[in-house]
Amino acid sequence: MIDIAICDDERDFSSKIENCILGYALELEIKINIDVFYDGMELLKYIEANNTYNLIFLDIEMNELNGVDTAHRIRKIDKDVLIIYVTNYESFAKEVFEVSAFRFLTKPLDFKLLKKYFFDACNNIIKRPDYFTYQYNKVKYRLAIADIIYFQSDLRITYINTIHGSKKCYGKLNDIERKLAENSITFYRTHQSFLVNPKFVAEYYYDTMVLNDGTTLSISSNRRKKVSELYCKIKGEEIIV
C-alpha cells in the first residue's frame, strides 16, 4: 500500500490529479490510498497527529500556509516522504532544493510528465527496504529493518540497537512485535525485553542466542518452544539440542 496526499487549494485541480493517480495505480496494479487537503496547515496538522505518507503532491501557492513553508515543517517530522511540487511558476528552485523535493511540476499540467513522475516515485518507494517507523520527542524517524539488530525494552523506553548505534523510541515491545508481524516481518521474541532480527543471529542454542557481534541473549523458558519452531521454519532444518 502506498499512502499519498494531495495538497492544493484548487479543488477541481486536486480532483483532476486524484483521478489521474487512481488510473495510473490501476495500470501499475498497485494499491494506493489518497487523502486530499486544501491548505498546507490542514495537511501539516494531520501529519503532526502521527500520520505518515509515502508521497505528497504539494502546491506551492496556497493562502494560509504556502507549500514551501509546509514542506519545511514536514521535513522536521518526516525526512523520507517524497514530495512532488506543483506550481504556476518556475522560480522556486532554491526553496525546492532545500526541502529535497523529488520532482517539480508546473501548471497547466503535462499529464505525460505527471504519469512519469508518479511511476518514478512508485519505483522509488517499492524498491526501498522495509522500514520501521517510530516517534521520539515528537519527531518521526525511519530505520531500515535490515539495519536493526534487536529491540530492547526498558520501562517506557525501547532501545533500538542498530548497525549504526543505539536509538530510542517510545512504545511497548508487544506493540512493536505486533506491528512487525502485521507487515510480515519476522523477529525472535527471545525474552520479555528482547526482540531479535534473525539476520544477526550467529549461533542458536536451547536457552541462548549469540549474535554476529558476540552479544549473547538469553531465551526465557516460556519462549523456547516458539523460538525453536520459528528458527526451524526460517532455517528450514531440524535443530539438534
Side-chain angles (χ1 to χ4, degrees):
M1 175 72 75
I2 296 178
D3 292 306
I4 301 169
I6 298 170
C7 185
D8 194 302
D9 55 5
E10 297 180 36
R11 292 176 180 264
D12 290 342
F13 185 80
S14 296
S15 179
K16 188 177 294 185
I17 290 183
E18 182 180 14
N19 290 332
C20 287
I21 296 303
L22 288 170
Y24 301 155
L26 284 175
E27 188 174 335
L28 284 177
E29 297 183 340
I30 59 173
K31 293 182 180 180
I32 65 171
N33 174 67
I34 301 179
D35 294 325
V36 180
F37 302 88
Y38 300 112
D39 66 71
M41 186 59 70
E42 182 184 8
L43 169 63
L44 186 62
K45 287 180 178 178
Y46 191 73
I47 291 175
E48 287 176 339
N50 205 28
N51 297 290
T52 59
Y53 292 102
N54 303 109
L55 173 63
I56 299 175
F57 289 88
L58 184 60
D59 183 25
I60 289 182
E61 300 84 33
M62 293 183 291
N63 292 325
E64 184 173 354
L65 185 67
N66 67 51
V68 173
D69 292 337
T70 301
H72 275 291
R73 293 173 66 173
I74 288 173
R75 280 289 180 242
K76 292 180 180 179
I77 303 169
D78 189 337
K79 302 186 188 313
D80 297 303
V81 60
L82 300 184
I83 297 175
I84 296 179
Y85 266 132
V86 185
T87 180
N88 285 308
Y89 305 100
E90 297 182 354
S91 57
F92 292 92
K94 181 176 181 293
E95 290 84 351
V96 168
F97 177 79
E98 288 176 348
V99 294
S100 302
F102 180 71
R103 295 290 187 272
F104 185 93
L105 289 167
T106 56
K107 300 177 183 180
L109 273 184
D110 179 334
F111 290 100
K112 288 184 179 179
L113 203 55
L114 171 64
K115 183 176 182 179
K116 180 183 184 305
Y117 287 174
F118 176 69
F119 280 23
D120 289 346
C122 289
N123 285 332
N124 184 293
I125 294 164
I126 291 169
K127 288 180 180 178
R128 289 179 178 182
D130 289 321
Y131 282 93
F132 174 71
T133 305
Y134 67 98
Q135 184 168 322
Y136 187 71
N137 287 339
K138 298 183 179 180
V139 179
K140 293 178 185 175
Y141 299 91
R142 288 179 185 171
L143 290 174
I145 294 295
D147 292 344
I148 298 173
I149 303 171
Y150 62 91
F151 296 89
Q152 179 180 359
S153 66
D154 184 9
L155 300 177
R156 292 182 61 251
I157 300 294
T158 293
Y159 293 88
I160 311 171
N161 294 279
T162 79
I163 60 175
H164 304 295
S166 181
K167 316 291 182 182
K168 294 180 182 179
C169 74
Y170 296 120
K172 298 178 180 178
L173 213 57
N174 287 344
D175 295 333
I176 293 173
E177 183 180 24
R178 188 180 307 112
K179 181 178 178 181
L180 293 172
E182 287 172 354
N183 288 277
S184 301
I185 298 170
T186 302
F187 270 54
Y188 296 119
R189 185 67 181 273
T190 61
H191 187 276
Q192 182 178 349
S193 301
F194 290 95
L195 199 55
V196 184
N197 189 340
K199 173 184 174 182
F200 295 96
V201 176
E203 300 174 31
Y204 167 74
Y205 301 98
Y206 175 68
D207 57 358
T208 58
M209 277 186 171
V210 181
L211 307 186
N212 292 340
D213 63 359
T215 300
T216 299
L217 301 176
S218 63
I219 304 173
S220 57
S221 58
N222 62 323
R223 299 180 187 274
R224 288 170 189 165
K225 181 180 179 181
K226 186 173 182 179
V227 170
S228 177
E229 291 172 350
L230 184 55
Y231 187 85
C232 289
K233 180 180 179 182
I234 292 173
K235 295 297 182 180
E237 58 187 18
E238 289 295 324
I239 305 301
I240 301 175
V241 179

